[in-house]
Amino acid sequence: MPHSIILLHTAIALVGIIALIVAARLNPVIVLVLGSLYLGLATGLGVEGTTEAVTEGFGKLMADVGLIIGFGVLLGSLLSATGTLQRIVEVFLRIFGRGKSPYALGLASGVVFPAIYFDVALVMLAPIARSVSRRTGISVAAVGGALAIGLEVGLLMILPGSAALAVSGALGASLGMMLLVGGVVGILSIVISVFLHGKLMRRTWDPAKDEAESDETSLGIAVDEVEEPRRRLPLIVLLIPAIVPLVLIVAGTATEIAGTEIGWVKLLSDPVVALLIGLLLGCVICGCSLSMRSVERALSRGAATSGTILLFNGVAGSLGEVISRNGVGDIVAGMFHASSFSPLVLAWVVAALLRLAQGSGSVAAITGATLLLPVVGSLGLDPVLVVLAAAAGASFGGHVHDNTFWMFRGLLGLSTRGAFQVYTVAQSIMSIVALLLVLCASAIV
């Protein structure tokens, strides 16, 4: 089938999905499955190939992140029940003040959490973001956008973010230079982008349209109603269920970077195992602080929340699998050549188009950077700049075929229109800001 026809059908499917969800207000799960079926059949996968892609895409995504999301949401529900999240917010506001809370959240998620899997960090930080919004009166758009910006920078630009490490390795970029230049570009990108996104949201955010309706509020973890504890434990004790998984995952990342493999560290640092340990600790601490009945209630609330989020994520995986099989990513990459125009802009454009087409920021960044791999030595550019340009492009335009879009929608209690403003718009602003910073850095590095 001609490439132009495949691209046309892909565009029709994506525009149709967005229109039916946002304008017609149809259920996203049904629309995503229908869009996946249309795209597979229209681009020549056949009946069997299409249905197989839809089911396998759902299953693959559940295998990758299902337990991570489930355990993370359950842990967040326990932390909410014990009042831990509220006490974190109180400390947070005392240190940074109300007005600077979006910047603090963005920088914390980008600089402190790069070693943590994106999905793990999101399910832990989203309830805190919602609580900060409620306590400060700052729009959830501002704090949610800061979270979206910070986590994406931490994944793609700041070491030891997994995608940053992968792209740096592919291009042979110096990790020392990546740590230095990527850190500066990443931090500036967060601060400038949070400011610009916050200004924009003051003009465009409409709580009536952008936040979930009353019957949808169960999609986010409630953080306001807290049962009076039988005994008030120190905050550091209440934080143990959240700290232990993070320490375990960071330990695993450190041993991996060092090139050593320790069996028990590898087991305990697996995100699923680490979160399970945190969840068990959370049950014990919640039971001691409150009661076992409270533990059961918190887990039931968390299960209801995670079930909806997992369903949204799974069908987004179905669409992503269909797009992967019809070859859109290869088509987009093949449309460009390293000699086309400015190599940094080229890396950004290719990565941005791939992110728009197939959803994965990591895949988009790696493809955008490796496109220039054969000629990067002759361009006179430090490979770190190419890595950062591709990372910036890979942040652009994530939307309905990106499972993280639906995680933001569910965990922050947003409508689909609101998720576009908090996730898609915020990261797209950061993408453009980061490209401009990389172009400025190219005059120095």
Side-chain angles (χ1 to χ4, degrees):
M1 181 177 291
H3 290 174
S4 58
I5 300 299
I6 293 176
L7 292 174
L8 176 62
H9 283 301
T10 302
I12 291 172
L14 294 177
V15 171
I17 287 170
I18 294 169
L20 289 173
I21 293 173
V22 176
R25 299 182 67 82
L26 295 181
N27 184 277
V29 173
I30 297 173
V31 173
L32 284 166
V33 173
L34 289 175
S36 301
L37 292 173
Y38 162 78
L39 184 58
L41 294 172
T43 54
L45 294 184
V47 174
E48 185 176 345
T50 298
T51 55
E52 181 182 277
V54 170
T55 54
E56 286 193 7
F58 188 98
K60 284 180 181 177
L61 194 64
M62 289 300 97
D64 288 339
V65 302
L67 288 175
I68 290 175
I69 294 173
F71 289 164
V73 172
L74 292 175
L75 178 56
S77 185
L78 289 171
L79 293 175
S80 175
T82 57
T84 308
L85 297 179
Q86 292 85 337
R87 291 171 66 178
I88 291 174
V89 171
E90 290 169 4
V91 173
F92 197 85
L93 296 179
R94 280 202 303 269
I95 295 174
F96 298 104
R98 293 175 181 268
K100 295 184 176 63
S101 54
Y103 296 96
L105 186 62
L107 288 169
S109 58
V111 178
V112 178
F113 282 83
I116 310 304
Y117 285 76
F118 190 107
D119 301 313
V120 176
L122 176 56
V123 295
M124 288 186 171
L125 291 174
I128 295 176
R130 291 188 72 208
S131 189
V132 167
S133 173
R134 289 172 176 168
R135 289 288 303 278
T136 62
I138 295 174
S139 168
V140 70
V143 292
L147 184 60
I149 290 167
L151 288 175
E152 193 76 354
V153 168
L155 172 70
L156 294 168
M157 297 185 187
I158 295 181
L159 296 179
S162 58
L165 281 170
V167 184
S168 299
L171 264 70
S174 164
L175 293 184
M177 282 294 292
M178 184 65 190
L179 191 63
L180 176 62
V181 181
V184 173
V185 170
I187 289 171
L188 290 176
S189 296
I190 292 171
V191 173
I192 296 171
S193 302
V194 168
F195 172 78
L196 295 175
H197 180 255
K199 289 286 188 184
L200 178 62
M201 289 302 100
R202 292 192 188 100
R203 296 175 176 271
T204 63
W205 189 258
D206 182 355
K209 296 180 179 179
D210 297 324
E211 297 178 21
E213 297 175 2
S214 57
D215 61 346
E216 296 179 278
T217 53
S218 63
L219 294 185
I221 297 173
V223 290
D224 287 335
E225 297 181 4
V226 180
E227 180 181 342
E228 188 65 28
R230 291 186 304 176
R231 57 176 65 89
R232 187 173 175 85
L233 300 176
L235 179 58
I236 189 63
V237 174
L238 294 174
L239 281 172
I240 287 175
I243 293 173
V244 168
L246 300 183
V247 171
L248 291 173
I249 294 171
V250 169
T253 303
T255 57
E256 186 177 337
I257 293 174
T260 59
E261 184 173 315
I262 304 172
W264 64 270
V265 173
K266 185 174 183 180
L267 171 64
L268 296 180
S269 64
D270 181 273
V272 173
V273 177
L275 280 171
L276 176 59
I277 293 171
L279 181 59
L280 293 174
L281 291 171
C283 290
V284 173
I285 290 174
C286 183
C288 292
S289 176
L290 301 173
S291 66
M292 290 310 297
R293 185 183 294 269
S294 299
V295 173
E296 292 173 8
R297 284 200 297 265
L299 293 178
S300 295
R301 287 195 300 269
T305 299
S306 61
T308 306
I309 295 170
L310 288 171
L311 189 57
F312 283 154
N313 276 263
V315 293
S318 297
L319 179 60
E321 181 68 15
V322 172
I323 291 175
S324 174
R325 293 194 184 195
N326 68 18
V328 167
D330 294 334
I331 293 170
V332 171
M335 292 167 60
F336 295 89
H337 301 282
S339 60
S340 299
F341 45 96
S342 167
L344 295 179
V345 176
L346 173 65
W348 186 92
V349 169
V350 173
L353 289 175
L354 285 169
R355 177 67 184 275
L356 285 167
Q358 52 79 44
S360 170
S362 299
V363 171
I366 293 170
T367 306
T370 54
L371 181 69
L372 297 176
L373 182 60
V375 295
V376 72
S378 62
L379 293 174
L381 288 171
D382 192 303
V384 167
L385 296 174
V386 179
V387 171
L388 292 174
S395 305
F396 188 87
H399 54 93
V400 295
H401 58 6
D402 181 352
N403 70 292
T404 312
F405 175 93
W406 299 103
M407 289 180 68
F408 267 85
R409 181 188 186 274
L411 290 169
L412 293 177
L414 308 174
S415 67
T416 302
R417 181 183 186 272
F420 271 107
Q421 296 209 68
V422 167
Y423 184 71
T424 308
V425 173
Q427 292 190 351
S428 297
I429 290 172
M430 184 273 287
S431 173
I432 296 169
V433 168
L435 173 63
L436 296 176
L437 291 171
V438 170
L439 292 175
C440 291
S442 67
I444 302 172
V445 177

